[in-house]
């Protein structure tokens, strides 16, 4: 069972999400929070696997909650109605594993919860574009063409949430070799970390 905590300041939204998610055989809604501070508290008390987190909430907003949850063993999906593209990058840098909008198809939301629980990074198409938009994005597009076939394979597995050890086992190579490939991928794409590399893979259909 995937243990899910819902954090949203609108009771109707929380109830709607709970009602739909609880009919899924593999999902258990363990609690609801009406603000970011309560979300952080309940995340500690209830140990959810996945937290659905709104950004605009009283007491402590979503970004503040993400900062408080840093290092906790919970995968966070931002689920927001705010269409400000500038919110995407800060949320992902703060540790979110997914970024979706509230108009997402219910079935797609369930699949997102399962994917993020399985270790993947998942964004709505608009969020992925916002994350990688601008001149730097065009540079990454060109850099992506410079990836070797092996580096593309490593990138695909990285985007699927695999660790270096798991990638090494799947590709039948040494873990040290995988580390080298990952470093080369990050350098060629001019990104700072594995999450940003995964976002590139999602946008370019490599995940």
């Amino acid at each position: 069972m995937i243990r899910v905590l819902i954090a949203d300041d609108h009771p109707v939204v929380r109830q709607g999400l709970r009602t739909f998610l609880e009919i899924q055989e593999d999902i258990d809604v363990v609690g609801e929070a009406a603000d970011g501070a309560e979300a952080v508290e309940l995340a500690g008390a209830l140990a959810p696997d996945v937290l659905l987190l709104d950004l605009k909430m009283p007491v402590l907003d979503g970004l503040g909650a993400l900062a408080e949850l840093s290092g906790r063993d919970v995968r966070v999906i931002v689920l927001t109605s705010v269409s400000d593209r500038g919110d995407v990058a800060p949320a992902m840098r703060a540790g979110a594993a997914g970024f979706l909008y509230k108009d997402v198809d219910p079935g797609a939301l369930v699949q997102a919860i399962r994917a993020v629980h399985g270790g993947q990074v998942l964004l709505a198409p608009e969020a992925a574009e916002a994350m990688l938009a601008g001149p730097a994005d065009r540079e990454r597009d060109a850099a992506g063409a410079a990836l070797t076939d092996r580096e593309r394979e490593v990138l695909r597995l990285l985007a699927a949430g695999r660790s270096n050890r798991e990638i090494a086992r799947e590709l039948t190579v040494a873990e040290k070799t995988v580390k080298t490939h990952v470093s080369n991928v990050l350098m060629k794409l001019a990104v700072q970390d594995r999450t940003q590399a995964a976002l590139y893979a999602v946008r370019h259909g490599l995940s």
Side-chain angles (χ1 to χ4, degrees):
M1 295 291 288
I2 304 174
R3 295 168 56 83
V4 174
L5 173 64
I6 300 169
D8 195 290
D9 59 333
H10 296 289
V12 173
V13 173
R14 296 198 306 271
Q15 183 58 48
L17 288 170
R18 175 184 280 274
T19 299
F20 178 74
L21 293 177
E22 285 189 333
I23 66 175
Q24 310 301 318
E25 294 183 354
D26 59 341
I27 292 178
D28 179 22
V29 178
V30 296
E32 300 176 20
D35 59 62
E38 187 177 14
V40 173
E41 180 181 352
L42 290 180
L46 301 176
D49 299 307
V50 176
L51 167 60
L52 298 181
L53 181 70
D54 191 14
L55 284 182
K56 306 302 180 183
M57 291 187 294
V59 185
L60 183 68
D61 66 11
L63 290 178
L66 278 166
E68 292 288 334
L69 291 167
S70 178
R72 304 276 191 94
D73 190 21
V74 57
R75 302 279 286 174
V76 179
I77 298 177
V78 169
L79 186 62
T80 181
S81 59
V82 178
S83 58
D84 186 351
R85 294 162 65 92
D87 286 330
V88 182
M92 300 307 293
R93 284 196 295 267
F99 195 106
L100 300 173
Y101 297 101
K102 288 181 180 177
D103 61 357
V104 63
D105 180 80
L109 175 59
V110 171
Q111 291 302 320
I113 291 172
R114 292 170 180 155
V116 166
H117 178 251
Q120 297 185 41
V121 175
L122 194 147
L123 294 92
E126 302 89 343
E129 290 177 5
M131 187 71 182
L132 292 174
D137 183 34
R138 291 191 290 274
E139 292 176 6
R140 292 189 188 98
D141 287 345
L147 296 177
T148 66
D149 290 341
R150 177 62 84 183
E151 288 166 353
R152 288 174 181 273
E153 183 68 8
V154 168
L155 176 59
R156 182 184 67 79
L157 294 171
L158 183 154
R162 306 291 180 81
S163 67
N164 285 354
R165 179 172 298 178
E166 291 170 331
I167 294 174
R169 185 162 54 245
E170 182 155 342
L171 299 181
T172 320
V173 297
E175 187 173 349
K176 183 177 180 180
T177 300
V178 173
K179 289 181 180 179
T180 299
H181 286 317
V182 170
S183 295
N184 289 340
V185 167
L186 298 183
M187 180 183 66
K188 289 182 179 181
L189 297 183
V191 295
Q192 298 297 315
D193 53 37
R194 297 168 72 98
T195 296
Q196 291 183 14
L199 294 177
Y200 177 96
V202 169
R203 187 182 183 207
H204 291 267
L206 299 176
S207 59

